[in-house]
Every structure is written in structure tokens, then in C-alpha cells.
Amino acid sequence: MKKYKKASSLSAHIDVPSNTPLGPMRARSAGILSSGEISQYRAEGIALAFDPMQQGWVSDACEDDLSMVLLNQLDPTARRKDAQSGYALRAWSTGDVDSYIALLGDPDVWRFMPENYPAPFTRDLATALIELSNASNHHQVFAVEFDGDPVGQVRLEFDVEPENPACAEISYWLGRVHWGKGIGSDVVKLFTARCLRDNLGLTSLIARAHRENIGSLRALKKAGYVLEGADPKHADWLKMRLIRD
């Protein structure tokens, strides 16, 4: 999810035509863009961002006069506990670097990720990834805690189907020491429910898993995701979808 900044800090990298009647400076409180405005913005090369609070598209550089600040950016140590005992979500912080490296600095964890293992997995890289997880305009990232200790990560990404802005994608990973304990299935179910509860404008969620990642495919199926077929972007990956009931 995006934390909106003042337009003056964002507009420098956007090439806005001088004859644009709307422009990126339109205030966020003006509401989401209409389909015609979206087409006009895209035609003129103005970047857009999905606003989860209003469930629609706004200019990426709009001035935030709604003062929406995410929980994980107010307090990196804040925990959002789920009803199921033992699990909690919170933002990663730079104080998590050692735990982060222990979990993610393992080539086996990257076996079923779309990216290649970034060897060597240094402290500088871990710090950069943590900072990136809290800075993107188009996703929400949370560390997953079980009984008070980080065990992995969940992510909700918006703008994954340009023709369907009411769809978002979930993904997750767990440290290898936590595999085979049912944690993955719990996390998928809990995070799916939270994503739908906190983002009422979403009508569906998708997830992608490597066709050899039997554990993830099973966890997604248990959570209600249905196989759609091969991912058109990655031949060895499968795409699954859950429709809001």
C-alpha cells in the first residue's frame, strides 16, 4: 500500500505535458479517477497509483490531504495480531537484519522464487531489501511472526492485472527451518482473510507458485484458491485465483 507524499517531492521524475487539464497535482481528497480520466492520464504518460483506502486509481504524485499513514510506517514494531493464536504481522525494521539474513539468506528458500538467489547475501543487501519492502508504492509487505519470532514474509501487490484493478496478488516465503509444520497453510489462510477484510474493493486475489512447489500449491488450494492454468509469463509457474464470495 502506498504512503502518499506531498506532490512537490514526487513530481520531479514525472514528465507532465503542459496542456494536461488534470495534472498529477490533483488532491487525493478529490476522489478516484474516472475511467476517462485514467485513459487520459495513461495517454499522457502520468504515473498512476492504486489507492486501497478509496479503492481506485489516483495520480502517483497527488497531494495527500487525507493524511493516510500506514500502521507499519507509524511504528515499525507495531504488531497486528490475528485471531488465531500465535501469529502476528508487522513491518520489517533494520533491527531485524540478523533474523532476516538467517531466514532469507538461504539458497534453498529461493528455489521456488521468480528471482535468482542474490549471492552473496550481505548485510547491506538485507538492509536494502528491508527498506524497499516498506517503501514501494504498489504493495504491502509484512514480517510474519509466530509465537513472537519472525518466520517469514507475506506480500500483497496491487496493479497486477491492468484490466482488472479490483484484483491483487499475494505471495509469501518462510525460512527453511519452518517448513513442513503447517505454518504456510495457516499464513495463506490468515493473510488472505486479512487482505479481503482490509481491502473491501478487491473482488479477487491471485497467487503464483512453481509447479514443483507442492507445499505452496496445497496451501493455496486449502485456502480456496483455484487453479487457472500456467502463468503466461513463466512456463514453470502456475496461476491460482480466489474470488471473493
Side-chain angles (χ1 to χ4, degrees):
M1 185 185 297
K2 179 184 179 67
K3 179 183 178 184
Y4 294 87
K5 300 179 181 179
K6 294 299 181 182
S8 59
S9 67
L10 289 169
S11 58
H13 70 284
I14 300 177
D15 183 14
V16 182
S18 58
N19 62 348
T20 300
L22 298 173
M25 303 297 286
R26 165 174 164 157
R28 188 178 171 206
S29 62
I32 61 176
L33 301 173
S34 67
S35 58
E37 290 169 337
I38 290 172
S39 297
Q40 181 177 349
Y41 271 60
R42 286 175 171 164
E44 296 179 354
I46 299 175
L48 301 178
F50 187 78
D51 184 343
M53 182 178 179
Q54 301 186 89
Q55 295 301 319
W57 294 95
V58 297
S59 166
D60 183 65
C62 69
E63 182 177 0
D64 181 13
D65 54 354
L66 297 182
S67 301
M68 176 183 174
V69 182
L70 299 179
L71 171 67
N72 64 359
Q73 291 167 322
L74 279 171
D75 182 359
T77 65
R79 290 166 173 78
R80 302 178 64 188
K81 294 184 179 179
D82 286 285
Q84 182 163 339
S85 177
Y87 292 99
L89 301 181
R90 64 171 176 82
W92 290 108
S93 73
T94 53
D96 292 315
V97 169
D98 290 336
S99 297
Y100 194 85
I101 293 174
L103 294 168
L104 193 56
D106 180 346
D108 284 346
V109 175
W110 292 75
R111 179 185 173 195
F112 293 132
M113 288 191 183
E115 303 88 3
N116 294 325
Y117 176 66
F121 199 92
T122 63
R123 292 184 66 84
D124 286 345
L125 176 59
T127 300
L129 290 175
I130 287 173
E131 292 175 349
L132 181 63
S133 73
N134 293 322
S136 174
N137 293 342
H138 301 293
H139 71 201
Q140 296 174 314
V141 176
F142 299 101
V144 179
E145 286 187 348
F146 182 63
D147 288 344
D149 295 319
V151 297
Q153 174 178 289
V154 289
R155 179 189 190 207
L156 177 67
E157 182 179 5
F158 300 98
D159 194 16
V160 293
E161 293 184 340
E163 73 285 359
N164 182 15
C167 175
E169 179 175 357
I170 72 160
S171 57
Y172 76 101
W173 55 260
L174 297 175
R176 182 156 53 99
V177 70
H178 304 292
W179 295 355
K181 300 178 180 180
I183 294 177
S185 293
D186 288 345
V187 166
V188 171
K189 290 179 182 178
L190 292 168
F191 191 54
T192 294
R194 179 178 290 277
C195 290
L196 293 175
R197 185 179 71 232
D198 291 352
N199 300 277
L200 298 179
L202 293 178
T203 59
S204 66
L205 294 170
I206 63 171
R208 308 171 206 265
H210 194 282
R211 62 178 65 250
E212 294 181 5
N213 192 348
I214 305 302
S216 283
L217 292 171
R218 183 181 297 118
L220 289 165
K221 184 177 179 180
K222 287 182 179 179
Y225 290 78
V226 176
L227 179 64
E228 282 196 341
D231 183 356
K233 296 182 180 179
H234 305 282
D236 293 331
W237 288 65
L238 300 175
K239 184 177 180 180
M240 304 183 74
R241 186 181 300 271
L242 180 144
I243 306 294
R244 183 190 289 272
D245 186 357

